[in-house]
Amino acid sequence: MSEALRILGLADLHDCIEGIRNLKNLKYDLIAFCGDLHNASSTEGAKPAAMALARLGPPVLIIPGNMDHRDVVPDLWEKAGFIVLHQSSFRHKEYGFLGMGGMIAKDPRRLGDPNRYYHRDDEVYSVLEKAYQEVASARAKIVIVHQPPWGACDILYNGERSGSSELRRFIENYQPDLVLCGHIHEDRGECHIGSTLVVNVGELRRGYGAVIDLNDEITVEWI
């Protein structure tokens, strides 16, 4: 990679803005926020967290989590100046970003909720495949998702796995350089699927995050 990039990877603030306080002196090129900035809040309740994240400095690439509501975040995040990467792509210099927010609805009745970002597992592959084609010429590809891939940083407290099988299939087939995720608070960490580095950045509500440096190799510094 001819030009280095430093990403501040964050997720799962759940409107607890105290989690942002220790991030103000960090150096980075952009923020990748992997969903659940809010906690099912109204626009009024969600605004402080959005503005606190915006004050850390642009650009902020963000995707919604399952606790970020459709009737709140589009307008609020636009006013905050965020780059919303849900089901889309974005180029930053020689780096290509693609994103998919929300989570799989195991109960199909949840798919009918107009205010929640729920989807079927089989939607994940097609959405990311399309976004990937838009940044295929980028030197490095970074995927920002909320829910981890199956078998990678997705273990719940009870020992069960809760990742997306179709996200894993996409990673196995396309081998992006980096996948950033959150959602499973209890399985913060990093692992590989083939040559792809998967990083569950952890729960910002508890002060966790990660600084990821992309250069000739990818390294992770934990917050």
Side-chain angles (χ1 to χ4, degrees):
M1 300 178 189
S2 60
E3 186 173 0
L5 181 71
R6 172 167 280 195
I7 300 172
L8 175 58
L10 304 171
D12 299 290
L13 182 66
H14 294 284
D15 283 324
C16 186
I17 60 175
E18 291 80 5
I20 290 178
R21 290 178 179 172
N22 294 330
L23 304 176
K24 294 180 180 179
N25 295 323
L26 296 176
K27 295 185 182 298
Y28 46 84
D29 299 306
L30 59 80
I31 295 170
F33 200 96
C34 304
D36 279 359
L37 178 60
H38 308 301
N39 202 43
S41 305
S42 65
T43 300
E44 183 178 353
K47 186 176 179 179
M51 295 303 111
L53 180 62
R55 284 193 293 271
L56 287 177
V60 175
L61 277 62
I62 190 169
I63 49 97
N66 55 297
M67 299 299 288
D68 301 314
H69 281 194
R70 289 179 182 269
D71 60 339
V72 171
V73 300
D75 290 342
L76 177 60
W77 289 0
E78 181 180 1
K79 290 176 182 177
F82 299 158
I83 299 166
V84 181
L85 205 58
H86 180 50
Q87 300 185 354
S88 63
S89 64
F90 178 76
R91 294 287 294 259
H92 179 81
K93 299 181 180 178
E94 57 189 348
Y95 295 89
F97 292 84
L98 50 153
M100 177 72 174
M103 64 171 286
I104 298 164
K106 294 183 179 179
D107 182 347
R109 290 174 296 182
R110 288 187 170 187
L111 294 171
D113 188 333
N115 292 324
R116 303 297 285 270
Y117 287 92
Y118 289 131
H119 52 259
R120 301 187 311 273
D121 199 7
D122 60 10
E123 293 180 72
V124 177
Y125 191 98
S126 59
V127 166
L128 290 178
E129 184 178 48
K130 180 181 178 181
Y132 185 93
Q133 303 306 324
E134 296 168 354
V135 295
S137 62
R139 181 176 292 272
K141 290 86 172 176
I142 300 101
V143 180
I144 303 175
V145 289
H146 185 56
Q147 189 171 15
W150 179 266
C153 303
D154 69 331
I155 298 178
L156 301 168
Y157 284 120
N158 62 7
E160 294 181 359
R161 291 197 176 275
S162 186
S164 165
S165 297
E166 286 297 285
L167 174 57
R168 185 182 183 97
R169 185 167 76 91
F170 171 81
I171 295 168
E172 290 174 341
N173 287 348
Y174 283 92
Q175 293 286 271
D177 297 270
L178 175 66
V179 174
L180 300 175
C181 61
H183 186 53
I184 308 301
H185 303 172
E186 55 267 45
D187 204 5
R188 172 180 183 243
E190 60 183 288
C191 64
H192 280 87
I193 297 176
S195 62
T196 299
L197 177 63
V198 178
V199 179
N200 181 334
V201 299
E203 185 183 0
L204 183 56
R205 178 168 52 184
R206 298 177 61 194
Y208 294 138
V211 177
I212 303 99
D213 283 298
L214 287 82
N215 202 340
D216 293 329
E217 59 181 358
I218 303 175
T219 58
V220 181
E221 179 182 346
W222 293 100
I223 301 169

